[in-house]
Amino acid sequence: MSRKSAVWAILLALLPVLTGCDSGASTGADARPDGRRIHDPVGREIVLPDSIRRIATLTGASYEKAFLVGAGDKIVARAATWPPWMARTNPRISAVQVVRDSHNPNLEELLRLDLDLVFFWDHSDLVRKLERQGLTVVCPQPERVRLGSADDFARTLAAEVEVYGQALGSAAAERATAWSGYFEQTRR
């Protein structure tokens, strides 16, 4: 084999690495094979870091759900939503970075935040892009949710809160379960 052919063979072998392409199946398991594992509602197995200290809540109501399960102090970036109660329930909200386009966030901006976990929309191409950069991503809700009744909405809401609890650790999981039980009792 000529030297030129050998160089081309090496470049072709490295092409997926150099262009950032992957199979789409990576969810951080290679980097953290022994981490805590959960399945998000999209059906992906997520390998979570041992310690979750810094999170981004980029879906519509993900800030509220993370706050509900006791992780308000871990939120360092959030989607650009402004419910009027936000500052009253969490005075430090003004210090949390707002991501203006949470459907297509600035990757460099997210990487500078040293995030342990990102709650993000079920947009598979963007999820893979975030994961290729080493971010752990949980999609708390499938892209298409069919809500035919108030009961469907209630079940979906409770399931989402449970995902936040599972992702954020045992104390958050206990709070999510307690809230789900309270929610079920009071809505009847």
Side-chain angles (χ1 to χ4, degrees):
M1 177 184 282
S2 74
R3 183 179 181 135
K4 187 175 181 180
S5 296
V7 169
W8 275 110
I10 291 170
L11 285 175
L12 286 174
L14 291 174
L15 188 62
V17 174
L18 296 173
T19 61
C21 296
D22 71 347
S23 66
S26 175
T27 57
D30 297 335
R32 293 179 300 277
D34 298 326
R36 191 168 48 88
R37 297 170 187 267
I38 66 166
H39 287 87
D40 67 13
V42 177
R44 302 171 13 190
E45 181 180 63
I46 313 300
V47 181
L48 297 164
D50 292 330
S51 174
I52 297 176
R53 302 164 288 106
R54 299 173 62 82
I55 65 173
T57 56
L58 301 183
T59 67
S62 59
Y63 165 84
E64 293 87 337
K65 291 177 182 91
F67 187 78
L68 174 71
V69 300
D73 62 327
K74 296 177 183 203
I75 301 169
V76 297
R78 66 179 181 85
T81 59
W82 301 100
W85 52 262
M86 200 177 266
R88 286 189 174 157
T89 58
N90 187 3
R92 70 172 281 286
I93 194 65
S94 62
V96 174
Q97 183 164 335
V98 175
V99 177
R100 298 279 175 217
D101 184 358
S102 63
H103 286 275
N104 191 18
N106 179 314
L107 187 55
E108 289 80 19
E109 185 180 296
L110 292 180
L111 291 172
R112 277 193 299 268
L113 293 172
D114 190 30
L115 298 166
D116 299 309
L117 182 60
V118 178
F119 290 99
F120 193 67
W121 306 96
D122 177 20
H123 301 318
S124 59
D125 290 343
L126 288 172
V127 168
R128 282 193 298 275
K129 182 179 175 183
L130 295 171
E131 289 176 336
R132 278 195 304 267
Q133 297 302 314
L135 294 171
T136 302
V137 180
V138 171
C139 300
Q141 180 184 99
E143 187 172 12
R144 302 259 188 258
V145 177
R146 299 193 191 284
L147 302 175
S149 67
D151 285 339
D152 289 345
F153 175 78
R155 279 190 294 277
T156 299
L157 179 60
E160 271 190 71
V161 170
E162 293 288 340
V163 169
Y164 284 84
Q166 291 171 10
L168 292 166
S170 59
E174 289 174 16
R175 288 184 81 152
T177 299
W179 180 85
S180 294
Y182 170 79
F183 178 65
E184 183 61 30
Q185 286 177 343
T186 57
R187 73 177 195 90
R188 289 181 182 225

